[in-house]
Amino acid sequence: MSRILVTGIGLVSAIGNNAAENRKSLAEGHCGISQLEGFPSRFAGIMPFGEIKIRNQQLIEKFGQHQAGVTRPCLLALMAMEEAIADASVTNAELSDFSTALINATTVGGMCLTDELFHDANAADEGSPYLSSYDCADTAIFLQKHYRIGGIINSINTACSSSANSIAFGAALIKSGRAKRVIAGGVDCLAKFTINGFNSLHILSNELCRPFDISRKGLNLGEAAAYLVLEPEEELRGKKYYAELTGYANSNDAYHPSSLSDNGVGPYKSMMDALEKAELLPAQIDYINAHGTGTENNDAVESIAMQRVFGTVPAFSSTKANTGHTLGAAGSLEAAYCILNLSNQELYPALQFETAIPETGYIPNLKFKPAEIKHVMSNSFGFGGNCTSLIFSLT
Amino acid sequence: MLFIHDTSCISPQLSFGDVDLQLLQPVVNRRLMAKEPDYKGIPPGILRRMGKAVRMGVGAAVPLLQRAGIPEGIILGTAIGGMEDCIKFLNQIIEYDEGMLTPGNFVQSTTNAVAAQIGLMNKNTGYNITHVHRGLAFEMALLDTFMKAEEQPDALWLTGAVDEISSYNYNIERLGGWYKEEIVSNEDLYNSGTKGTLAGEGAAMFLLSGIKQNAFAKIVAVETIHTDDAGFVAERWNRFLENNPSDLIISGDNGDSRLNQYYAHLIPDPNNGTDLVRFKHLCGEYPTASSFATWLACYILQGQPVPGSLYQFPAKNPGYKSISIINNYKGQQHSFINLSCP
């Protein structure tokens, strides 16, 4: 069975416009969560958000995307894709070949255009330029046309675990011989729709989120785009690679539409199944990039599930304290962060943490430090009980 | 190879329970709305809170799960999921100016809500995923199942698709020019010569595995293409048919004059025995309509008679053993699916 290697990464988030900037921010313990500036909302100034401070018009100019109907997710995805493709040295000919696949994930899609969607859905006389931009497939279809990608194109939505599943689906395409090269990841933008949705569930914090802290009050929403280029070992021909995707598993908590079961049935199963797929023992995991949203429910359940899997938990942290919760982009963004951990042999400090939760007493890694790490896990759990764990290894 | 062990379909026709496709259910005001059953298998308290897409998806899955128990995983395709709940929540945001909102519509609006609800009711902690790739969402669910069945042939998968017409997505598609302006009956859909089609909806579910035993049909191949080049589609289709010889073609022609070019090459050679049928006058157009065609192919492969209204040309060769479906969504996303007797 061919090994699946990560040959390129590309990412943009509230803490940086590319991988190098993100790494620097993580190492320095920089928090990118700030006041909302991009669009008017009642919550601007009241709640902080992990906003990328680049306006759409700047991206339209930069990439020459002046045609009608191009949305912020398309533009941010394009920015991250440019970096990933260059990083992996994927040629135009390779992109157009039937063996190159693109798997995108998003939960909001073009619905970030809340007011335009309201207008179009409620029988206006004339449509806006965004009539075909609202659904979750729009970004993948935009990217396919832009790069003339010739292979399988797909879009996935499993809520907050979406882009972890696009990586797993991409790996399956390679393993089954249906693709030789997969660009997999996700994008989500801040939107009135999700801000009000999460607020109606009372899980947004009006302060900076505090993952795994006893006094955590909820999550901060963020926005990001992140893509990984995956290629099988035999196609590499001497090209550099960062790490191997050794484990991936998807399970369902089957408990409640918007919260996790007390002892974390789904999170436990996704972590255990990913370990089995990677043929690793729990003790071999050196670091976990936890889902760690900063909500009461997630962090308690995830801690208990980690305790059940690991007993003594390895170093862990949630980078959502840096970026906010980027929903459909979180899985691939945090996978890219795991690649940075591995390729630089370093751990980044958890932010806004003071006191451990009583159930487990778990304290995340609090300091930047060089570390010998070989296997890292990334957890992503979403509404609808959708849980996915990925494992990357230096091999 | 994916073997089909059971199937169920809620559609604008009498496709659920006692199937009767001879009695054509008419289009009303440019819409073919699903004939929803009474959903006996769903607890009333849960049913009341479900949006239409969730209701149809769960409703079509329930009989299969009642017979099969707990499958290894749930693999769905939907382009828009619970659009009605989505816009209801959006309307709340605007009307109450981001005030105190109730979360029910928000939770039901996410496209993964159908697979999640089935997982919840089935207490299924296995693989659970929702493919949302617009006109190829169902095909991607099939492709996913192919890969799962290759890894674990003896496991059973619940795979299917659902999409709804709400007044909201009807408005968006109407503004986009995708529905007919004039009133057209089901029978006249293909002869209108105008742009646009009829709106449709439905849910189709399948129990699939890599094992032939107790299967009544198999899915042999699925191919997807992104292009607007009709010549390229025809070339790929011809190659697909060479690899998957078929005695019946199910065409996704939806009566939109702009899309005729993608089906023009299907006109059968009078010297070969292939027959040609169409199905969108039964279910209307929606992004996962190919799941209805797949259900229809299963129905035909089980030896059920093909209603006369489906034939584009007089039938030459009934008793079909291998069926290929050709479909496209808005001329951008194209798919071919081949099914045959096991």
Side-chain angles (χ1 to χ4, degrees):
Chain A
M1 199 68 104
S2 60
R3 302 196 305 149
I4 293 167
L5 304 174
V6 180
T7 57
I9 57 174
L11 53 156
V12 50
S13 76
I15 58 167
N17 296 336
N18 52 49
E21 287 184 20
N22 273 269
R23 180 193 169 198
K24 185 166 182 289
S25 292
L26 289 169
E28 292 171 355
H30 174 63
C31 172
I33 301 166
S34 66
Q35 295 304 321
L36 184 68
E37 296 166 3
F39 55 90
S41 164
R42 178 179 276 232
F43 299 98
I46 295 174
M47 285 173 176
F49 296 95
E51 185 177 41
I52 297 169
K53 303 294 182 190
I54 309 174
R55 295 298 169 90
N56 293 346
Q57 199 54 40
Q58 290 170 266
L59 293 168
I60 287 169
E61 299 295 335
K62 180 175 179 182
F63 296 112
Q65 298 297 314
H66 296 279
Q67 68 275 29
V70 179
T71 61
R72 185 167 177 83
C74 294
L75 295 164
L76 290 179
L78 192 55
M79 189 170 163
M81 283 277 285
E82 288 285 291
E83 185 186 10
I85 288 168
D87 192 29
S89 309
V90 182
T91 64
N92 288 337
E94 284 171 336
L95 284 171
S96 307
D97 194 80
F98 72 94
S99 64
T100 300
L102 167 68
I103 316 300
N104 188 55
T106 186
T107 68
V108 183
M111 288 201 311
C112 55
L113 296 160
T114 310
D115 295 303
E116 289 82 352
L117 177 55
F118 176 78
H119 171 273
D120 290 336
N122 289 287
D125 295 334
E126 247 181 81
S128 81
Y130 299 101
L131 287 169
S132 64
S133 310
Y134 299 122
D135 70 16
C136 291
D138 186 59
T139 302
I141 290 170
F142 167 83
L143 293 170
Q144 186 278 328
K145 279 186 196 152
H146 183 83
Y147 291 108
R148 300 174 190 279
I149 297 170
I152 290 163
I153 313 293
N154 192 16
S155 307
I156 290 172
N157 181 359
T158 53
C160 307
S161 62
S162 299
S163 54
N165 282 321
S166 48
I167 292 169
F169 185 84
L173 286 178
I174 292 175
K175 288 249 181 208
S176 73
R178 288 176 171 87
K180 288 181 181 172
R181 198 173 300 101
V182 178
I183 306 164
V187 59
D188 254 328
C189 292
L190 285 167
K192 261 192 210 173
F193 192 85
T194 37
I195 293 173
N196 282 277
F198 283 85
N199 188 58
S200 72
L201 289 159
H202 305 289
I203 53 175
L204 288 186
S205 173
N206 57 1
E207 298 166 7
L208 295 179
C209 67
R210 314 183 65 174
F212 298 103
D213 190 279
I214 189 168
S215 62
R216 66 196 179 281
K217 292 177 68 180
L219 60 86
N220 307 135
L221 285 172
E223 58 185 354
Y227 296 90
L228 271 56
V229 181
L230 306 176
E231 298 183 73
E233 189 172 27
E234 64 269 20
E235 294 292 324
L236 238 51
R237 300 185 186 96
K239 193 152 103 175
K240 66 133 174 82
Y241 69 93
Y242 292 110
E244 179 185 353
L245 174 64
T246 47
Y248 46 91
N250 160 319
S251 70
N252 196 278
D253 198 44
Y255 172 73
H256 185 273
S258 60
S259 63
L260 292 168
S261 59
D262 293 343
N263 68 346
V265 171
Y268 175 82
K269 190 169 189 299
S270 70
M271 286 189 269
M272 289 301 283
D273 290 355
L275 285 165
E276 191 187 327
K277 182 110 185 164
E279 297 177 358
L280 291 173
L281 297 169
Q284 290 177 276
I285 297 293
D286 300 306
Y287 167 73
I288 303 167
N289 186 310
H291 186 54
T293 56
T295 64
E296 186 67 38
N297 176 246
N298 179 83
D299 295 6
V301 173
E302 188 171 11
S303 296
I304 288 162
M306 287 194 296
Q307 192 169 51
R308 288 174 61 204
V309 174
F310 295 96
T312 307
V313 76
F316 75 99
S317 67
S318 166
T319 48
K320 290 185 177 74
N322 304 81
T323 62
H325 187 355
T326 61
L327 305 180
S332 53
L333 180 68
E334 290 159 25
Y337 288 167
C338 287
I339 300 299
L340 294 176
N341 289 124
L342 280 172
S343 61
N344 297 299
Q345 291 288 290
E346 61 196 20
L347 293 177
Y348 307 115
L351 309 182
Q352 279 98 244
F353 176 88
E354 280 174 12
T355 309
I357 61 173
E359 290 92 332
T360 56
Y362 282 168
I363 298 171
N365 176 61
L366 295 172
K367 291 215 158 54
F368 172 80
K369 58 184 178 196
E372 277 186 34
I373 45 177
K374 199 167 177 206
H375 304 286
V376 300
M377 176 183 275
S378 176
N379 283 338
S380 298
F381 312 138
F383 281 1
N386 284 121
C387 300
T388 296
S389 297
L390 304 173
I391 298 172
F392 295 94
S393 304
L394 279 188
T395 48
Chain B
M1 213 75 86
L2 276 179
F3 291 92
I4 306 177
H5 302 274
D6 206 347
T7 176
S8 160
C9 179
I10 294 173
S11 79
Q13 302 301 317
L14 304 176
S15 59
F16 190 78
D18 295 324
V19 179
D20 184 354
L21 297 180
Q22 304 289 344
L23 192 67
L24 194 61
Q25 303 297 306
V27 57
V28 178
N29 196 18
R30 304 179 186 85
R31 295 167 172 85
L32 277 153
M33 306 286 273
K35 299 278 171 217
E36 291 190 81
D38 56 12
Y39 297 117
K40 281 193 205 111
I42 307 175
I46 298 176
L47 183 63
R48 218 170 22 248
R49 286 196 297 273
M50 289 178 172
K52 192 179 195 179
V54 179
R55 211 161 58 217
M56 291 193 296
V58 173
V62 160
L64 305 194
L65 298 172
Q66 281 171 345
R67 294 193 280 266
I70 301 180
E72 189 72 20
I74 296 163
I75 304 175
L76 293 196
T78 180
I80 52 170
M83 186 72 174
E84 178 140 24
D85 276 295
C86 173
I87 306 293
K88 273 186 191 162
F89 190 73
L90 180 67
N91 289 350
Q92 279 191 58
I93 295 175
I94 307 285
E95 282 162 25
Y96 298 103
D97 189 25
E98 304 186 79
M100 290 304 291
L101 310 179
T102 51
N105 296 133
F106 176 66
V107 173
Q108 290 268 321
S109 76
T110 59
T111 36
N112 69 325
V114 188
Q117 186 65 52
I118 295 171
L120 191 57
M121 288 178 60
N122 189 231
K123 297 187 171 44
N124 191 316
T125 58
Y127 189 70
N128 187 298
I129 196 162
T130 305
H131 297 275
V132 294
H133 196 51
R134 198 177 288 172
L136 299 175
F138 174 63
E139 285 78 355
M140 288 298 113
L142 285 181
L143 173 62
D144 199 351
T145 316
F146 263 97
M147 296 193 291
K148 288 288 170 197
E150 286 162 11
E151 281 190 15
Q152 293 171 262
D154 53 354
L156 204 55
W157 307 89
L158 177 77
T159 300
V162 59
D163 270 309
E164 68 178 17
I165 316 171
S166 70
S167 58
Y168 306 115
N169 64 323
Y170 182 85
N171 286 337
I172 293 171
E173 298 301 316
R174 183 183 59 79
L175 288 169
W178 293 106
Y179 297 137
K180 294 213 177 288
E181 287 170 18
E182 72 277 17
I183 298 287
V184 177
S185 68
N186 311 48
E187 291 91 337
D188 292 335
L189 175 63
Y190 307 111
N191 308 321
S192 61
T194 56
K195 73 183 177 79
T197 184
L198 301 171
E201 64 181 0
M205 295 287 158
F206 305 86
L207 274 176
L208 305 171
S209 83
I211 302 285
K212 182 176 173 174
Q213 199 180 1
N214 300 324
F216 58 76
K218 65 184 179 201
I219 303 175
V220 181
V222 178
E223 186 170 331
T224 60
I225 309 166
H226 289 75
T227 185
D228 53 11
D229 179 347
F232 183 67
V233 175
E235 189 187 309
R236 291 277 291 265
W237 170 247
N238 289 334
R239 202 181 318 154
F240 184 83
L241 285 186
E242 277 170 31
N243 295 330
N244 303 285
S246 306
D247 44 26
L248 180 68
I249 307 298
I250 299 181
S251 151
D253 185 356
N254 69 358
D256 187 323
S257 58
R258 296 168 297 188
L259 303 180
N260 285 345
Q261 55 177 318
Y262 299 108
Y263 300 107
H265 57 277
L266 297 182
I267 293 170
D269 178 346
N271 299 320
N272 93 23
T274 308
D275 281 335
L276 180 60
V277 297
R278 297 174 291 202
F279 67 96
K280 296 238 172 102
H281 65 296
L282 301 181
C283 67
E285 181 64 291
Y286 57 101
T288 49
S290 57
S291 64
F292 178 85
T294 301
W295 172 84
L296 180 66
C298 290
Y299 180 76
I300 295 169
L301 286 173
Q302 286 173 286
Q304 298 293 331
V306 183
S309 76
L310 273 64
Y311 282 102
Q312 186 166 351
F313 300 96
K316 289 174 296 213
N317 188 27
Y320 307 109
K321 298 275 181 280
S322 174
I323 300 177
S324 283
I325 301 165
I326 176 169
N327 191 45
N328 83 72
Y329 193 67
K330 297 183 176 177
Q332 300 286 321
Q333 295 178 294
H334 306 263
S335 74
F336 314 142
I337 302 171
N338 176 261
L339 297 96
S340 67
C341 292

